[in-house]
Amino acid sequence: MALIPGTRLGVYEITAQIGAGGMGEVYRATDTTLGRQVAIKILPDAFAADPERLARFEREAKTLASLNHPHIAAIYAVEKSGGITALVMELVEGDDLSQRIAHLRAPDASARQAGMPLDEALPIAKQIAEALEAAHEQGIIHRDLKPANIKVRADGTVKVLDFGLAKALDPPAASSPEAMNSPTITSPAQMTGVGVILGTAAYMSPEQAKGRAVDRRADVWAFGAVLFEMLTAQRAFAGDDVSDTLANVLKMDPAWERLPADLPPRVRQVLRACLQKNAKQRLGDMQDVRLALDGAFETAPSQAVAQAGPVTPAWRRALPVAAAVVLTAAIVGGAAWRLRPAPAAPAPVAQFSIAVPDRGVITRVAMSPDGTRMAFGARGVGLYLRALGEVEAHLVPGVSPGLTPVGAAFSPDGESVVFYSTADGSLKRIPVAGGQPLTIAQGMSSPSGLTWGEAGIVYGQGATGVFRVSPNGGKPEPLATVEAGEEAYGPQVLPGGKDLMFTVARNINNGGVDRWDTAHIVVQSLTSGERRTIINGGADARYLPTGHVVYATAWTLFAVAFDADTLTVRGNPVAVVTGVRRGADGAALLSVSNSGSLLFVPGPVERAGGALRVPTLARRNGKTEPLALPPEAYRRPRVSPDGKRLAVGIDEDTTAEVWIYDLSGTTAMRRLTFGGRNRSPVWSPDGRRLAFQSDRDGTPSIYVQNADGGGAAERLTTAAQGVVHTPDSWSPDGRTLLFSEQKGDTFTLMAFSVSEQRALTFGGVQSLQPADAVFSPDGRWVAYASSPVAGGLVSADRGIFVQPFPATGAAYQVPKTRLDFHPTWAPSGREIFYVPTARDAELTAVSVQIQPSLTFGPPAAVAGVPQPAFTSILPRGYDVLPDGSFITLVPADNASNGAAGSEMRVILNWFEELKWLVPR
C-alpha cells in the first residue's frame, strides 16, 4: 500500500513518494534523529510471508552496507515497523541517467550522434566503472545496472543506486513463484522456470537472460550496454517486448555504426570487449575494464583524433594492403572478434579469407617465419603450399597422396618444410620448390605438435613425451617425459635454447569437459630438468617475438604477457581471437609468423561448456540431414530402441541436462532432468526409462527416470566421494546395467544387477580411458574400449575388445588401427563400429561372425558418415538407428558435411593488435 506524507516508520517520517518499481516503492523521508534526508525503499509484501527470504535479505544487506565509496549510494539500515520492511538508503538528488538519455534521443532514430557529448559521457562512465570496481573488490555484484539506477548530481558526481539488491532480493530456490520476480521483470510468465532472471532485459548479460548463475562479467556487460546508450541515445539491445529484447541480447550485435565518429579508439574497442556474448571472451571484471581504458576517459576527443588521424573504417584502411598481396582477398568480418587500434604508422591490421581446395581434410597449418608462405596437409591428397601473392594453393611436387601428409612446419629460413607421413610413420623434409623428400626420423606415431627452430625439429609423441631431431636426420633425442596417464603436446624450444615449453594433459574424464581445456602449459629446463607450470586450463601454447604466449582453450585463442628470462607470466590472459578451430588432439589450427601475421582455420564460436553442434542423420548412401534442432553443446546422443526418439545431453559451463527429441520432428525438444548436473543418458531396452549420471545428491551417481518425465528420478548407484559413475549400456533383458566407475585416472567396468541392486566388476576391465561399453543386440557379448593400466589386464595395448557376457575370462581384440575407441554394435549384431583415432576421427566398421567362433573382418571406413569429433575420454558422439543409419554430432558451422573447414583466414600485422590488447 502507498504511504502518505507524515507516516512514521520508526524514526523516519515519510515526506513524499519519489519512485516505484519491481523492487518496491521509494519515498523521501526525514531521519528525525539525525535530521538528514534519506530514501526509504519499501520492500514487496512477499517478504512478510517468507521468513527465510527476509533473513537472507538482511544478511545480504549487512554486506552491502559495508560498501563505502563516493560513487555508491550508501545503505544505512533495515527498518521494520507496522508489518512493513524498508531499506533506508542515502538520498541522491538529481536526474537519473535514463532521464538524461531520454532528453537526448533524436526524433530521427537513424541519427548517429544523438548521444551525450564525449566530454560529458566519459567522466560519467569513469565514475560508474570506479563504483563497480570497488564493489567487485568486496565480492559484490550489482546484477541490475541500468541508467535508471545511476544518478548524476548537478555537480557531475555520479552515484550508483540499488547496489547488490538484485542478489539481496533473489529468493531461495524454495520460494514461491511469486517471490521469483526480478527487480524489473515482474511477471512469472516471463521467468525461465529454471533460474531467476534478474535485471532489466535490455541490460541483461546473455547468461542472465538464460536464468543462469552470474558473476562480475554480468556487470561488465551491463556497463558496456549503459555506455553504448550514453554515447548513442539508443539501447544496445532493444525490442518491442521482453521476449524480443532477450532474443536480441542472445543473437544480435549492437549497431556499432551509431557510435560517435570521434570516439577514442580505445573506448570503442573496450565497448566491444564488454559486450561479448560468451562470458569467457568478455573482460573479466571492472578492474580489467579500467586497466584497458587507462587514460581514455581523460583523453580529449579532439586530441585523440588529431593523434590518430582521421578515423577510417578498418576494412577501408586494410583494402590497399590486402589487394596488393592477395589478388583474391576479400575483407571479411567473421566469427573472430578483434580489437583494432588506430595505429600511428601506416601498418593497418587486415584480415582476409583464403579458400581451401575442395579435397581432403586440413590436418595442420603453418606460416613461414617471414609471413610470405603458408603450408597445410590435406589427408589423402598431399601437401599444399601457397604464397600470399598467389591466387591458389598448389601441391608440393614430390609429396604424393600415398604419403598421407599430416602436419607441417617451415624451416627458420622458410625454404623447406617438414611433415609427417602416416604411410610409413616418418618425418620427412622437402624444399618448398619440391623434390625428393628426405626421411629424417622413422618409427614414430603422428606427432602431437611439431616446431622447427634454431634448436632443431621438436615434436611431441603423446604419452612418450617430447623429442628433438636434427633437420639432417639422425637419432631422435628425448627432451621430456610425462607421467602415466599424461600426454605431451605442442613443444617449442624458447629463445636461448635452454628451456622447453609444452602442454601436459591428463587422459581422464573430467565430467564431460575436454581434457585439453583442463590441461596445463609447462616450461622445463633442458639442463636441470626442472619443470614449472605457467598456465592452467589451456593447450597448444606458442611463444611469440612480442613477448607473449598464446594458447587455445576450446575454440578461443588467449594471450598473456610472458617474461622469457624469468619464465613468468605477467598479468591476466586475454581472449584475442574466437572461433579458431581445434583438433581433438588439442591442436589449434593456427600459425603465427615472426613478422606478425596470423593464419587460422575458423571454427564455430563456442558457448560455455563446449563447441556448438547439430545432431545430424547420416545414411550409409552418403546422404546427410541435420535434425531440426538449434546448435547446442550436445553430448552423447542415444537413440531409443524403437528408433523414434533421441536422448541427448546439453552440457554447458554450469549446467548439464538430458533432453528428449521426437525424431519425427513434430514436437519440440523436451527437457527430462531437473536438479544438479545430469549427463550420459542410456535407454532401457523397452524404451520406457532412461538411466543417466547426476550429482544432485552430492556425488556423480546413476539415476533412472521415466522417459515421459512422469515420477521422480530413482537412484541406482551411490558413488563414494571422489568417485564418478557413468552408465554405459543396458542389457536387452533389462537385468543388467553396465557402467564405468572412475577413481582418479582409472576406469573400472562394472555390471549393476537391477534385481539385486548391487554392482560387481565385469571381466577385470580397468583402463586409463572410459570403457564406453555396449551390449550386443542378443545380450551375449560386450564390446568396450580399453587402455590398460600398469600391471596388464586384458591386453598390453589400447583398443576395442569383446568379451562374452557373463564374463568367462576370454577377451578378443577388434582389428586394431592405432588408438581405437567409442565402439557400438550394428542392430543386426553383425558389425561393430568404432572411431579409430582421436586425430583421424574416421568412423570405421568391422564385420563380426559368432559361429563357429568369434572372428572379425578387416576394418573399413563407413562412407558418408560425418566425423564424430570427440576424443576418447569424452562420451561417444554418435549412435546407430534400427535401420542402420546414424545420428552423429556435427560442428554447427558445417552441419551439411562435417568437413574440417572450407577456408582459412589471415590477419596481417596482427602483432599490432596483440600488443594493444595485451600490453607488456
Side-chain angles (χ1 to χ4, degrees):
M1 63 177 180
L3 302 181
I4 61 174
T7 302
R8 299 274 300 224
L9 293 177
V11 299
Y12 305 101
E13 182 176 333
I14 302 298
T15 58
Q17 183 172 353
I18 58 177
M23 291 165 64
E25 298 171 341
V26 185
Y27 296 85
R28 177 192 291 268
T30 300
D31 183 337
T32 58
T33 300
L34 299 177
R36 64 180 174 182
Q37 296 296 297
V38 298
I40 299 285
K41 183 181 286 288
I42 307 298
L43 301 182
D45 293 339
F47 279 86
D50 194 340
E52 179 184 355
R53 189 179 179 204
L54 182 58
R56 180 174 179 269
F57 168 78
E58 291 175 344
R59 291 194 300 270
E60 293 291 345
K62 289 179 181 178
T63 301
L64 302 176
S66 66
L67 286 177
N68 182 16
H69 192 273
H71 300 310
I72 297 176
I75 291 178
Y76 295 149
V78 175
E79 182 69 25
K80 298 179 183 177
S81 178
I84 295 175
T85 300
L87 193 64
V88 184
M89 303 178 295
E90 177 184 0
L91 177 65
V92 183
E93 305 285 1
D95 291 341
D96 64 50
L97 201 53
S98 67
Q99 294 169 311
R100 287 200 173 199
I101 294 173
H103 291 313
L104 294 168
R105 288 201 168 98
D108 179 5
S110 66
R112 285 192 56 198
Q113 300 191 32
M116 289 183 180
L118 294 183
D119 57 0
E120 178 183 354
L122 295 184
I124 292 174
K126 177 183 180 183
Q127 295 176 72
I128 298 170
E130 290 173 350
L132 292 170
E133 180 181 0
H136 288 179
E137 288 176 348
Q138 299 297 319
I140 297 172
I141 307 167
H142 194 295
R143 303 212 307 177
D144 192 28
L145 184 72
K146 56 189 175 184
N149 278 339
I150 301 166
K151 287 255 190 173
V152 184
R153 287 176 170 166
D155 63 359
T157 300
V158 171
K159 288 279 187 176
V160 181
L161 312 180
D162 286 354
F163 227 110
L165 291 191
K167 182 178 181 182
L169 292 170
D170 185 10
S175 296
S176 68
E178 293 156 283
M180 293 176 67
N181 297 334
S182 77
T184 52
I185 298 179
T186 57
S187 169
Q190 294 167 355
M191 309 310 294
T192 64
V194 180
V196 184
I197 297 183
L198 296 171
T200 302
Y203 309 96
M204 284 181 178
S205 64
E207 57 269 26
Q208 280 178 294
K210 296 176 183 178
R212 294 175 182 157
V214 301
D215 57 22
R216 300 174 179 183
R217 294 171 293 185
D219 282 354
V220 172
W221 172 280
F223 172 82
V226 169
L227 180 53
F228 182 93
E229 189 169 346
M230 290 166 60
L231 295 170
T232 64
Q234 302 292 329
R235 285 180 174 172
F237 306 96
D240 294 334
D241 53 31
V242 170
S243 297
D244 285 344
T245 301
L246 293 181
N248 288 337
V249 166
L250 294 172
K251 298 178 181 178
M252 303 300 291
D253 289 325
W256 299 114
E257 69 277 4
R258 294 185 181 273
L259 291 172
D262 57 349
L263 184 67
R266 184 168 294 186
V267 180
R268 186 183 300 269
Q269 310 313 328
V270 171
L271 259 177
R272 287 180 175 270
C274 289
L275 294 176
Q276 286 298 310
K277 297 187 188 299
N278 188 335
K280 289 183 177 181
Q281 277 77 64
R282 203 177 305 151
L283 290 173
D285 59 21
M286 291 309 298
Q287 183 184 45
D288 290 344
V289 174
R290 179 179 60 78
L291 292 174
L293 284 170
D294 188 25
F297 287 128
E298 290 80 20
T299 300
S302 59
Q303 292 175 336
V305 174
Q307 291 171 2
V311 180
T312 305
W315 67 267
R316 189 167 293 170
R317 299 195 309 270
L319 187 57
V321 175
V325 294
V326 181
L327 298 178
T328 58
I331 306 305
V332 295
W337 63 267
R338 276 156 298 282
L339 306 183
R340 293 184 176 139
V349 177
Q351 179 189 178
F352 52 87
S353 61
I354 293 175
V356 172
D358 189 22
R359 291 184 294 168
V361 175
I362 298 176
T363 55
R364 297 290 184 275
V365 296
M367 183 164 261
S368 63
D370 63 3
T372 62
R373 295 186 180 104
M374 60 195 75
F376 54 95
R379 187 167 41 249
V381 179
L383 181 67
Y384 281 100
L385 189 75
R386 174 171 176 163
L388 282 180
E390 292 180 331
V391 176
E392 295 181 347
H394 64 271
L395 290 168
V396 177
V399 183
S400 65
L403 292 178
T404 316
V406 174
F410 280 94
S411 61
D413 63 6
E415 296 301 321
S416 298
V417 175
V418 62
F419 65 92
Y420 176 75
S421 170
T422 60
D424 58 4
S426 68
L427 277 181
K428 297 182 183 295
R429 171 185 175 181
I430 190 170
V432 294
Q436 181 65 34
L438 171 67
T439 298
I440 58 176
Q442 292 179 298
M444 55 184 288
S445 61
S446 181
S448 52
L450 176 66
T451 58
W452 187 350
E454 299 296 340
I457 296 172
V458 180
Y459 58 94
Q461 285 287 272
T464 311
V466 178
F467 294 81
R468 174 168 56 189
V469 67
S470 167
N472 298 317
K475 183 178 180 180
E477 169 195 6
L479 295 184
T481 59
V482 291
E483 297 180 359
E486 292 182 339
E487 292 188 32
Y489 188 88
Q492 178 188 6
V493 175
L494 296 178
K498 297 180 180 179
D499 300 286
L500 175 72
M501 181 174 68
F502 61 100
T503 299
V504 177
R506 298 289 293 174
N507 189 16
I508 61 172
N509 187 333
N510 296 294
V513 178
D514 193 315
R515 58 180 170 156
W516 298 106
D517 290 345
T518 57
H520 51 277
I521 297 163
V522 303
V523 174
Q524 178 171 318
S525 169
L526 293 178
T527 55
S528 68
E530 179 184 358
R531 181 182 300 179
R532 69 170 70 178
T533 299
I534 60 170
I535 295 170
N536 284 303
D540 200 5
R542 302 120 196 269
Y543 176 79
L544 304 180
T546 55
H548 295 87
V549 167
V550 294
Y551 63 94
T553 297
W555 302 74
T556 301
L557 186 67
F558 286 83
V560 66
F562 181 74
D563 190 322
D565 294 325
T566 61
L567 304 179
T568 55
V569 166
R570 298 186 180 275
N572 296 318
V574 175
V576 290
V577 182
T578 60
V580 177
R581 189 174 293 278
R582 193 178 72 179
D585 59 352
L589 298 188
L590 64 90
S591 181
V592 186
S593 73
N594 292 339
S595 63
S597 294
L598 170 67
L599 168 70
F600 69 96
V601 178
V605 178
E606 278 213 340
R607 199 157 59 213
L612 300 185
R613 295 183 170 89
V614 174
T616 298
L617 176 65
R619 308 190 196 288
R620 297 185 79 164
N621 61 7
K623 294 183 179 180
T624 62
E625 179 184 356
L627 302 185
L629 291 172
E632 287 287 357
Y634 294 110
R635 295 281 176 89
R636 195 164 179 165
R638 295 295 182 264
V639 179
S640 61
D642 61 6
K644 296 181 179 180
R645 291 164 294 167
L646 176 71
V648 65
I650 298 180
D651 200 335
E652 298 193 295
D653 201 14
T654 58
T655 62
E657 301 300 342
V658 175
W659 296 71
I660 294 179
Y661 177 69
D662 191 322
L663 289 174
S664 67
T666 57
T667 59
M669 189 164 61
R670 172 174 55 87
R671 180 175 170 181
L672 176 69
T673 58
F674 294 88
R677 288 171 294 187
N678 307 278
R679 301 182 170 100
S680 302
V682 174
W683 289 95
S684 64
D686 59 9
R688 295 181 178 179
R689 296 183 296 167
L690 279 162
F692 56 91
Q693 178 200 94
S694 179
D695 63 358
R696 62 187 62 191
D697 290 325
T699 58
S701 304
I702 298 175
Y703 290 73
V704 65
Q705 185 168 342
N706 291 338
D708 62 7
E714 172 191 351
R715 181 157 63 180
L716 293 185
T717 72
T718 301
Q721 195 66 36
V723 176
V724 177
H725 288 175
T726 303
D728 284 337
S729 179
W730 220 316
S731 62
D733 60 12
R735 298 177 180 177
T736 305
L737 179 69
L738 295 174
F739 70 94
S740 289
E741 180 177 80
Q742 179 189 355
K743 296 180 180 179
D745 294 348
T746 302
F747 296 83
T748 301
L749 183 56
M750 307 290 293
F752 178 82
S753 170
V754 176
S755 60
E756 299 178 8
Q757 294 288 294
R758 68 187 184 115
L760 298 173
T761 59
F762 173 78
V765 178
Q766 285 189 313
S767 174
L768 293 175
Q769 69 186 49
D772 223 351
V774 59
F775 276 103
S776 61
D778 62 6
R780 297 174 53 195
W781 304 89
V782 172
Y784 60 92
S786 179
S787 178
V789 297
L793 291 168
V794 175
S795 169
D797 204 352
R798 60 194 286 182
I800 305 298
F801 298 86
V802 174
Q803 287 198 36
F805 183 85
T808 63
Y812 308 87
Q813 185 168 9
V814 173
K816 183 177 175 58
T817 58
R818 287 199 295 276
L819 309 174
D820 307 330
F821 55 93
H822 293 339
T824 194
W825 294 81
S828 65
R830 294 192 292 270
E831 285 182 298
I832 293 177
F833 305 106
Y834 61 93
V835 180
T837 72
R839 293 176 176 84
D840 292 340
E842 296 167 331
L843 192 63
T844 295
V846 296
S847 60
V848 181
Q849 180 176 317
I850 298 174
Q851 298 295 337
S853 61
L854 186 68
T855 57
F856 305 104
V862 180
V865 179
Q867 299 169 338
F870 285 82
T871 62
S872 60
I873 58 169
L874 291 179
R876 172 163 51 92
Y878 72 98
D879 202 16
V880 190
L881 279 78
D883 65 1
S885 56
F886 297 83
I887 295 289
T888 184
L889 300 182
V890 174
D893 66 335
N894 210 10
S896 61
N897 56 31
S902 59
E903 68 174 15
M904 297 186 293
R905 292 184 186 161
V906 176
I907 306 178
L908 301 177
N909 302 313
W910 181 65
F911 281 174
E912 297 304 313
E913 185 175 290
L914 176 64
K915 288 184 286 188
W916 183 88
L917 283 171
V918 193
R920 294 195 70 239

